[in-house]
Amino acid sequence: MLTLGLAGLGLTGVAIDFVRWTVDPSVSAPHWPFGVAPPQSWSALGVLGAISIALAVFALLRAALNYLNQMSLNVLTQGRIVVSIRTRVYEKLQRLSFRFFDANATSSLINRVTSDVQALRSFVDQVLLQMVIMVISLTVYIVYLVNINLKLAVACLAITPLLWAASSRFSRVVGPAYAINRELVDSMVARLVGSLRGIHVIKAFGCEAAQAAQFDKANDAVRDQQQWIFWRVSIFAPLVGLLS
């Protein structure tokens, strides 16, 4: 995918150089890839059409490879990593002592087997692997830019300190909020587990409405905390795009 992206950028540059050379023959002629120039009998529109078709083919190939990449990642993370980790966590729970279960709430343990495993999957899929891809892509693109024009490459990278500062500030603000949200989810699940365990008592004393109100309160606390996080995420993402 990275090679196709660079090939598309290179062809776009060739198309721009060709247009400049066609309008003003006194400028340098375009450098055709691998020295393969179009036939002299082709018109300017014909050459641009061929370049456009090549760019479209590269875009389709890149989209197909991206689709295969995403499917492979989903099979790896959901079909293997998540299942394996969840099984190992459950097996570990079977070997723990009674003291451990006395010290940890059932709701918290349920979240470890369900939500935390999915959170780990998200970290591997959306953070760890994407970070590796980003570092490799950034290195290749920087080398590509520097080989073309050093000053222009420096200009393109000028906002990097601003992006780093914005990301660091965002992490310091939102990071603790995610920890709070996790505690609120544990509390909500604890409320649910407690209600299900004591459902006979609740029904016997007609406390359904009171229990529902307590669960709604815990549920609303999770929603409000998540909205607080999502509101800041919705501001941060456009801010990064604006800086770029």
PDB file of all heavy atoms in Angstrom, residues 24 106 139 143 220 222:
ATOM      1  N   ASP A  24       4.458  25.690 -21.358  1.00  0.00           N
ATOM      2  CA  ASP A  24       5.683  26.463 -21.552  1.00  0.00           C
ATOM      3  C   ASP A  24       6.827  25.499 -21.857  1.00  0.00           C
ATOM      4  O   ASP A  24       7.460  24.970 -20.942  1.00  0.00           O
ATOM      5  CB  ASP A  24       5.992  27.280 -20.300  1.00  0.00           C
ATOM      6  CG  ASP A  24       7.206  28.184 -20.470  1.00  0.00           C
ATOM      7  OD1 ASP A  24       7.731  28.270 -21.603  1.00  0.00           O
ATOM      8  OD2 ASP A  24       7.633  28.805 -19.485  1.00  0.00           O
ATOM      9  N   THR A 106     -17.653  -9.237  41.891  1.00  0.00           N
ATOM     10  CA  THR A 106     -17.991 -10.061  40.734  1.00  0.00           C
ATOM     11  C   THR A 106     -18.120  -9.225  39.468  1.00  0.00           C
ATOM     12  O   THR A 106     -17.689  -9.632  38.382  1.00  0.00           O
ATOM     13  CB  THR A 106     -19.305 -10.811  40.990  1.00  0.00           C
ATOM     14  OG1 THR A 106     -19.182 -11.595  42.175  1.00  0.00           O
ATOM     15  CG2 THR A 106     -19.659 -11.716  39.815  1.00  0.00           C
ATOM     16  N   THR A 139       8.510   7.531   8.041  1.00  0.00           N
ATOM     17  CA  THR A 139       9.930   7.475   7.673  1.00  0.00           C
ATOM     18  C   THR A 139      10.099   7.448   6.159  1.00  0.00           C
ATOM     19  O   THR A 139      10.916   8.192   5.597  1.00  0.00           O
ATOM     20  CB  THR A 139      10.586   6.232   8.300  1.00  0.00           C
ATOM     21  OG1 THR A 139      10.435   6.280   9.724  1.00  0.00           O
ATOM     22  CG2 THR A 139      12.066   6.183   7.953  1.00  0.00           C
ATOM     23  N   VAL A 143      11.777  10.530   3.835  1.00  0.00           N
ATOM     24  CA  VAL A 143      12.895  10.291   2.919  1.00  0.00           C
ATOM     25  C   VAL A 143      12.505  10.675   1.499  1.00  0.00           C
ATOM     26  O   VAL A 143      13.283  11.297   0.755  1.00  0.00           O
ATOM     27  CB  VAL A 143      13.329   8.810   2.988  1.00  0.00           C
ATOM     28  CG1 VAL A 143      14.369   8.494   1.918  1.00  0.00           C
ATOM     29  CG2 VAL A 143      13.887   8.491   4.374  1.00  0.00           C
ATOM     30  N   ASP A 220     -26.859   6.419  33.743  1.00  0.00           N
ATOM     31  CA  ASP A 220     -26.711   7.827  33.349  1.00  0.00           C
ATOM     32  C   ASP A 220     -25.319   8.360  33.690  1.00  0.00           C
ATOM     33  O   ASP A 220     -24.761   9.182  32.947  1.00  0.00           O
ATOM     34  CB  ASP A 220     -27.783   8.684  34.039  1.00  0.00           C
ATOM     35  CG  ASP A 220     -29.181   8.409  33.512  1.00  0.00           C
ATOM     36  OD1 ASP A 220     -29.290   7.809  32.422  1.00  0.00           O
ATOM     37  OD2 ASP A 220     -30.153   8.771  34.198  1.00  0.00           O
ATOM     38  N   VAL A 222     -22.541   6.647  33.631  1.00  0.00           N
ATOM     39  CA  VAL A 222     -21.654   6.156  32.578  1.00  0.00           C
ATOM     40  C   VAL A 222     -21.841   6.967  31.306  1.00  0.00           C
ATOM     41  O   VAL A 222     -20.876   7.383  30.653  1.00  0.00           O
ATOM     42  CB  VAL A 222     -21.917   4.664  32.301  1.00  0.00           C
ATOM     43  CG1 VAL A 222     -21.096   4.179  31.103  1.00  0.00           C
ATOM     44  CG2 VAL A 222     -21.586   3.832  33.527  1.00  0.00           C
TER      45      VAL A 222
END
